[in-house]
Amino acid sequence: MSRNKQGALIGCGFFADNHMHAWKTLEGAEIGAVCDLDRAKATAMATKFGIARIYDDPAKMFDHENLDFVDVATTVESHLPLVRLASTHAKTVICQKPFAENMKDAHAMVAAAKNAGSNLLIHENFRWQKPFLTMKKLVDDGTIGTPHFAHFSFRHGYDNYVNQPYLAKIDRFAIMDVGLHLFDLARLFMGEVAHLSCTKQSLNPIVQGEDAFTALLNMENGGTCICDCSFYSKFSPEPFPNTAAVIEGDKGTVHLDRWNRLTVHTASGAETSNVDPAVPLWGAKPWHCVQDSVTNFQAHAIDVMHGRTNPRPSGEDNLRTMALALAAYDAAEQASSMNMAQWS
Ligand code: NAD
């Protein structure tokens, strides 16, 4: 393998810890510098992972570092300036989801990367979770024939607000935080969306934005897809942070339950297997499926850096996923569905 690509991490908060662990375990790329506006956080990350160079100003970091790639793990409001800056200094830029708060910023980031000749990847990790990698292979192999219906469902009652207090304070929460992941899965398995409708709910009184939504997608190929999410559902055992899914085709059905058991129904019967990944040596339950997917995604990013494959998803691809999330808010707010009172 050619030399390790040299990278920097921007944003040393809660989730970046997973990024750093995954970079440490992977061959082909390494992080040599970390940056956070909060210097104490950058220093703590550098100490934990043995990183020599610490910055509290991204522009200063770019002045001093010679980088192949930049991993942006900050929250959404900082993405546009950081991706613009990173694109002019590194051939590969990885940006955490949500990519942007609006289409204008998302298009500006895609254009900045394109103009600079840099690869822009979105850290969209649900499609890199072991259960969805397994389902994708089954569907691509033709096991269930041509899909005509899919359902992706993320419902739990885990207290996310301890690790990510900002989630309780934002106006646009569940659709921008998890809807994006589910819409990416919908597009991956079912193609592009022709029509979308959506309802949203605010269930937990401590949360400012919506903490639940249900979206109905009519696909361009005639398929139907439901994406739903709730941060206020009671299950035992607690399924967080797993996604349940069903994909039906003309030859069979794949069904993933909330505890990562996958059942394949075909003419020859039903077979169930456990697709829960092992807990990474550095990881911990209940996060292991997500942590494993971060490693899978970053291994893919390394393949992109070394020219072995194209970004999945790229910034350009993710524009369509962003558009679905933003359209879902409009659909929910306009309530553009049939008023049943008129039908009595
Ligand atoms: P966080 O608030 O814990 O960390 C963000 C860090 O970025 C903070 O330390 C902050 O000081 C720093 N920062 C902000 N602007 C900066 C700038 N301009 N330059 C340098 N540093 C800056 O947030 P988090 O919970 O770690 O989330 C970060 C991102 O990761 C969010 O976009 C979130 O949606 C995403 N996330 C993704 C997943 C996933 O499964 N893909 C899971 C959790 C969070």
Side-chain angles (χ1 to χ4, degrees), residues 272-294:
T272 299
S273 57
N274 179 4
V275 289
D276 203 33
V279 180
L281 288 177
W282 49 270
K285 287 189 173 185
W287 287 93
H288 59 295
C289 190
V290 171
Q291 290 167 330
D292 179 67
S293 74
V294 170

Side-chain angles (χ1 to χ4, degrees), residues 235-259:
F235 286 102
S236 185
E238 171 57 62
F240 178 85
N242 295 338
T243 304
V246 176
I247 304 175
E248 295 182 13
D250 54 349
K251 292 193 182 128
T253 297
V254 280
H255 174 224
L256 175 69
D257 77 10
R258 281 177 212 285
W259 298 274

Side-chain angles (χ1 to χ4, degrees), residues 10-16 35-38 41 58 73-76 78-79 82 96-98 123 125 164 166 177 181 290:
I10 306 182
C12 299
F14 162 67
F15 201 70
C35 176
D36 197 296
L37 295 179
D38 182 340
K41 283 191 179 179
T74 60
T75 40
V76 65
S78 57
H79 289 173
L82 290 175
Q96 254 296 352
K97 51 58 61 177
H123 188 123
N125 52 334
Q164 296 171 276
Y166 60 90
D177 190 60
H181 290 303
V290 171

